[in-house]
Every structure is written in C-alpha cells, then in structure tokens.
C-alpha cells in the first residue's frame, strides 16, 4: 500500500481536520462552522497530510512563533502542532517522514528553532528535540497557607474585570510578560478571542467563563492578570470550593505577589490549583507554611530543537564571561558540529563554528536543548553520562555560563 505524504491543498482541509480529531481520539464529525473558524488559522503551506487511497490518515502542521530566550531576545521558531497518525497507520514511519519534511522546511525558511509540546515523553527525542522548559502544578490548602503580609511595594489594587477588558488590555500586558519569560511565545488575536470567549469553536473544549482580575499599580497601570474558575461546593454548612487558576501573568514582582495573595484568600475557597507554572514559581515562598503547597505534577512541557546552533547560542545572554566549546551530535545534521561560545562581561555572546578547536563538552543536540533555556544543568547530564567532559570541570564551566537565575516558563501550550 503506498501512502502519499504531502503539503495540504484547500480541498484537503475538512478531511485533514477530521483526521486530526480521530488522531486525538475525539469524534470525527466536523461542522462547517468549525471549518470556517479554524481554516484561516491554518497555513496550508505549513501543513502536511498523509493520504491512503485519498483518505487523510495523518496530520502535521507548524506555525511561526517567537520564542523568548534568556536575556529577553526572541528567536523565530517553527511551532509544531496537530501531529497525529491514525491508529490504523501507526508505527510505519509516517510521523518520521512528516518530521523530516518539516525540519527541512524549517531550515529553508531560516527559522533557527523548532518547538513543540509533546503528548508523550518518548516521541520526539529521536528527532533531536530536548525537554527545554518544564512545568509544575501545585494545589494549595488555603487554610494552612498562612500568607505572609504584603510588602510595601504592593500598593496597587486588584480589580475584577470583564472579558472585554481582558481582550482589550491583555495583549499589551502579555507582551511585557512573555519577554521576561524564557520559553514563552507570542500570542495572536485568536488566542485572546478564545481565552475571553469572544469566539467559541464547536468541537473544541467547552468554554466556561472564568473570573478575570487585573492588578493595577498605584499609577493605574495594568501589571498583572489572573483568570480563574471556582466550583461552588459545600460540605453540609461549610464551603469547600476548589479554585482553578487558568492564567496568572505578572509584569512586576508586586503584581505577582498581590495576585497570588488575592487568589489564596478568597472566601469559600479551600483549595487553589495553580495550573502549569515554572518549576521555580515563587508562589510557595509567599506561604508561612510552605507544606500547604503540594505538587500535583512536575514534568517536561516545551520541547526545543536546534536548526541553527550558532544563531541560537548568540541570541541568549550568559551568567559569566568566558568561552566554551561544545561538540554537538545530531544524526539529522542540522545542529551537528563544534561550536565556540564566547560570553562578554555584559552577558552578550558570540557563537561560531569551530571545527578544529578541542571541545570542552560533547553532547547531543537534544541534550543541548535542555540546557539552552536554563532548565537543565551540564553537570547533571555529565553525571548520568549524557554529556562527556574532555577535562575535569568542563561541565561546571558550561554551567557557569549557561546558568540562569530563574527557570524557563513556557506560559502557553499550542
Ligand atoms: C505519536 C504518533 C504521531 C507517532 O506516529 P507514528 O507514525 O506511529 O510514528 P513513527 O512510525 O514515525 O515512529 C518513529 C519511531 O518513534 C517511536 N514512537 C512513535 N510514537 C511513540 C510513542 N508514543 N511512544 C514511544 N515511541 C514512539 C516508534 O516506535 C518508532 O520507533 P522505531 O523507529 O525505533 O521503530 C502517533 O502514534 C499518534 O498519532 N499518537 C496519538 C496522538 C499523539 O500523541 N500525537 C502527538 C502529539 S504531540
């Protein structure tokens, strides 16, 4: 049986969307309204399908997104999504063919990185992706939290606002926040339409209107946004309402603290579930009793693959001045080679191919991806034999440069 893997044409779209649904184990029925709402946001030139006797049995697409890297620069990236292979056609190399096409196209377009959110951990390492920004979810027992008192700079106010306010003012706030959060990407209007319920796509997850709150500083500037839902639950005459944080982003430490303090002290709410936060989110530090914040889940989230290593290494900043040479192994070739990074005292760096210089550390492109945004340490990789030191202390030297004071945080999935 021959399977045709190719870029989509307009007439393929409804069958392709149907295949995506089936690939994610959802019912296959796709309405005209859904097609109309989704189609403008799918760039057919960046979408692939596999066709068996004319029927779409596998899907794959990418979108241009900017990823923030340590130091606040952004790099154009190919954000891969809707990767599915029908259960009837799995493990025949179909996803591998589509990935090979995509990586070649990414290189052709000049995007230095590809990124994705992996449904399952073992899928993408073989394609040179590494887990680059993880997430942790906590649940907080508010009765035990013992919130510490506010600091002097929390002199703004939290106000409850309407979805329309969020649609209007959220994007500007998010732009400020995501540039401070390595691992985060830009959002489009559609993201905000879906978040605020302005557009509801049939066939997607049903939208439940969250409660929205802004934090405004003393001058009235919006520095933070929280969105949350609460289940109105009672045990006898006692309220036991769980609150779920859908979003909490803040451009300043005062806004971040004030919004957590607000969410953790709402009457009737006995449990706060935080949603996906950075591994080193500050929330637990605000509690007098940190054991009140228990981890529900701590895992990989954003995966990253280098296409242009020198460009990526030169885009981020470094924690210390100095030079290291990395020998990068990549069976696909895109990221393979020896690269010298030289960081200046101000943290900026140059990076170039250095094929004839002795390396300090040898590692795969996937493992370098885990170091790139500050999620992993070279010493840990060397300890488990995933990075090879050419001389004692080489991994620690790499860490001295690559270390970041905060962990990366991919605010959004896609
Ligand atoms: C994940 C998925 C896209 C893989 O498609 P596929 O066509 O079966 O993948 P391939 O045949 O190209 O697999 C290539 C290799 O990856 C391995 N692999 C693929 N999916 C895997 C998984 N979920 N877990 C472990 N290994 C996996 C295969 O065993 C194969 O290994 P091999 O070369 O050593 O034999 C497909 O199984 C699927 O649609 N799953 C459900 C939806 C999903 O999870 N999509 C990913 C969203 S991020």
């Amino acid at each position: 049986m021959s399977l045709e893997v190719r870029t989509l044409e307009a007439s393929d779209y409804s069958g392709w969307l149907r295949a995506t649904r089936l690939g994610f184990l959802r019912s296959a029925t796709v309405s005209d309204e859904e097609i109309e709402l989704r189609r403008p946001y799918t760039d057919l030139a960046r979408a692939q399908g596999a066709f068996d006797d004319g029927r779409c049995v596998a899907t794959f697409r990418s979108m241009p997104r900017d990823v923030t890297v340590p130091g606040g620069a952004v790099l154009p990236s190919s954000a891969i999504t809707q990767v599915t292979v029908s259960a009837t056609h799995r493990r025949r190399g179909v996803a591998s063919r589509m990935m090979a096409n995509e990586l070649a196209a990414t290189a052709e377009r000049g995007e230095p990185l590809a990124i994705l959110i992996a449904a399952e951990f073992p899928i993408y390492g073989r394609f040179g992706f590494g887990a680059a920004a993880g997430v942790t979810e906590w649940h907080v027992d508010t009765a035990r939290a013992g919130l510490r008192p506010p600091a002097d700079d929390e002199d703004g106010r939290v106000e409850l606002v309407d979805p329309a306010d969020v649609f209007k003012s959220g994007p500007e706030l998010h732009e400020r926040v995501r540039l401070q959060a390595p691992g985060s990407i830009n959002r489009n209007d559609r993201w905000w339409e879906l978040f605020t319920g302005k557009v509801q796509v049939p066939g997607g997850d049903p939208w439940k209107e969250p409660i929205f709150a802004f934090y405004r500083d003393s001058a009235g500037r919006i520095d933070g946004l929280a969105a949350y839902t609460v289940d109105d639950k009672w045990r006898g005459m006692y309220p036991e309402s769980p609150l779920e944080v859908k979003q909490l982003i803040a451009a300043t430490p005062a806004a971040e603290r004030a919004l957590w303090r607000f969410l953790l002290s709402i009457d009737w709410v006995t449990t706060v579930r935080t949603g996906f936060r950075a591994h080193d989110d500050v929330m637990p530090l605000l509690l007098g009793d940190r054991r009140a914040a228990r981890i529900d889940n701590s895992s990989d989230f954003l995966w990253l693959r280098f296409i242009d290593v020198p460009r990526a290494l030169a885009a981020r900043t470094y924690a210390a001045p100095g030079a290291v040479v990395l020998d990068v192994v990549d069976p696909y070739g895109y990221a393979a080679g020896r690269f010298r990074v030289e960081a200046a005292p101000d943290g900026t760096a140059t990076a170039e191919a250095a094929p004839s210089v002795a390396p300090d550390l040898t590692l795969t492109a996937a493992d370098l991806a885990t170091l790139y945004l500050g999620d992993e340490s070279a010493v840990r990789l060397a300890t488990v034999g995933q990075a090879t030191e050419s001389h004692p202390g080489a991994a620690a030297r790499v860490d001295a440069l690559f270390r970041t004071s905060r962990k990366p945080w991919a605010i959004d999935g896609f």
Side-chain angles (χ1 to χ4, degrees):
M1 182 183 14
S2 77
L3 213 58
E4 187 192 9
V5 174
R6 59 169 171 80
T7 304
L8 287 201
E9 288 162 18
S11 57
D12 297 322
Y13 187 71
S14 59
W16 184 89
L17 191 54
R18 194 184 142 83
T20 307
R21 284 279 204 76
L22 284 169
F24 287 138
L25 307 183
R26 296 187 170 203
S27 63
T29 308
V30 177
S31 66
D32 289 347
E33 190 190 356
E34 180 177 358
I35 292 170
E36 208 169 293
L37 286 167
R38 288 197 193 275
R39 171 63 195 86
Y41 290 89
T42 300
D43 180 350
L44 294 179
R46 296 182 71 132
Q48 301 178 63
F51 298 86
D52 186 352
D53 204 14
R55 187 185 179 90
C56 187
V57 292
T59 65
F60 192 118
R61 80 175 174 105
S62 71
M63 322 172 279
R65 289 290 182 274
D66 290 336
V67 181
T68 305
V69 302
V74 296
L75 276 179
S77 306
S78 184
I80 294 169
T81 185
Q82 288 178 292
V83 179
T84 70
V85 173
S86 165
T88 53
H89 289 69
R90 66 194 279 281
R91 307 301 184 266
R92 296 186 206 171
V94 179
S96 305
R97 279 171 70 184
M98 297 192 295
M99 181 61 85
N101 292 341
E102 172 61 29
L103 296 180
T106 307
E108 180 106 336
R109 288 187 297 260
E111 292 157 338
L113 302 176
I115 54 170
L116 53 81
I117 311 292
E120 295 188 272
F121 194 96
I123 303 175
Y124 295 104
R126 74 189 65 237
F127 304 119
F129 286 81
V135 286
T136 298
E137 294 175 86
W138 286 266
H139 73 269
V140 184
D141 178 348
T142 57
R144 291 181 186 273
L147 275 169
R148 293 197 291 104
D152 289 347
D153 63 346
E154 274 166 64
D155 54 357
R157 64 180 192 278
V158 174
E159 64 182 23
L160 297 177
V161 294
D162 294 331
D165 302 316
V166 175
F167 187 76
K168 180 166 166 272
S169 305
E172 186 276 329
L173 169 69
H174 174 261
E175 275 299 291
R176 279 192 284 147
V177 174
R178 65 120 177 162
L179 295 174
Q180 302 172 31
S184 287
I185 56 173
N186 53 321
R187 293 175 177 168
N188 57 14
D189 281 355
R190 171 47 64 89
W191 191 98
W192 290 99
E193 286 170 352
L194 294 172
F195 182 59
T196 57
K198 213 173 152 80
V199 169
Q200 294 179 42
V201 180
D205 293 327
W207 185 78
K208 178 181 173 192
E209 184 173 326
I211 301 171
F212 293 105
F214 283 153
Y215 174 84
R216 286 184 187 274
D217 74 0
S218 54
R221 188 174 75 158
I222 297 167
D223 278 346
L225 162 68
Y228 57 98
T229 54
V230 183
D231 243 358
D232 181 14
K233 284 212 174 113
W234 292 71
R235 183 191 293 267
M237 292 299 281
Y238 286 103
E240 268 189 7
S241 298
L243 180 153
E244 198 169 319
V245 181
K246 299 290 179 189
Q247 179 95 157
L248 191 159
I249 56 171
T252 63
E256 189 170 4
R257 280 182 264 122
L259 286 172
W260 280 123
R261 213 183 294 291
F262 171 70
L263 295 179
L264 291 164
S265 57
I266 295 174
D267 290 340
W268 297 7
V269 169
T270 48
T271 316
V272 169
R273 299 177 72 89
T274 62
F276 289 171
R277 313 296 305 173
H279 284 320
D280 65 347
D281 194 281
V282 295
M283 181 277 296
L285 302 183
L286 295 172
L287 311 182
D289 180 352
R290 288 189 208 161
R291 295 185 196 171
R294 275 180 288 161
I295 291 175
D296 286 331
N297 165 47
S298 186
S299 67
D300 61 289
F301 189 59
L302 182 84
W303 290 61
L304 179 150
R305 201 229 192 274
F306 293 105
I307 298 293
D308 184 340
V309 175
R311 185 168 167 201
L313 291 177
R316 60 157 286 182
T317 57
Y318 293 84
V324 287
V325 177
L326 303 170
D327 201 22
V328 182
V329 177
D330 179 11
Y332 277 78
Y334 299 107
R338 209 166 274 181
F339 305 99
R340 183 173 187 277
V341 187
E342 176 152 14
D346 68 357
T348 60
T350 55
E352 58 189 11
S356 49
V357 183
D360 295 295
L361 199 69
T362 300
L363 74 180
T364 64
D367 286 327
L368 181 59
T370 70
L371 297 181
Y372 180 62
L373 299 175
D375 202 65
E376 190 46 273
S377 101
V379 166
R380 272 167 49 99
L381 294 180
T383 304
V384 296
Q386 279 177 241
T388 307
E389 295 182 302
S390 300
H391 52 88
R397 208 164 123 74
V398 170
D399 281 339
L401 265 70
F402 277 69
R403 189 185 59 236
T404 57
S405 44
R406 293 293 302 270
K407 291 284 184 194
W409 182 34
I411 299 174
D412 298 322
F414 51 87

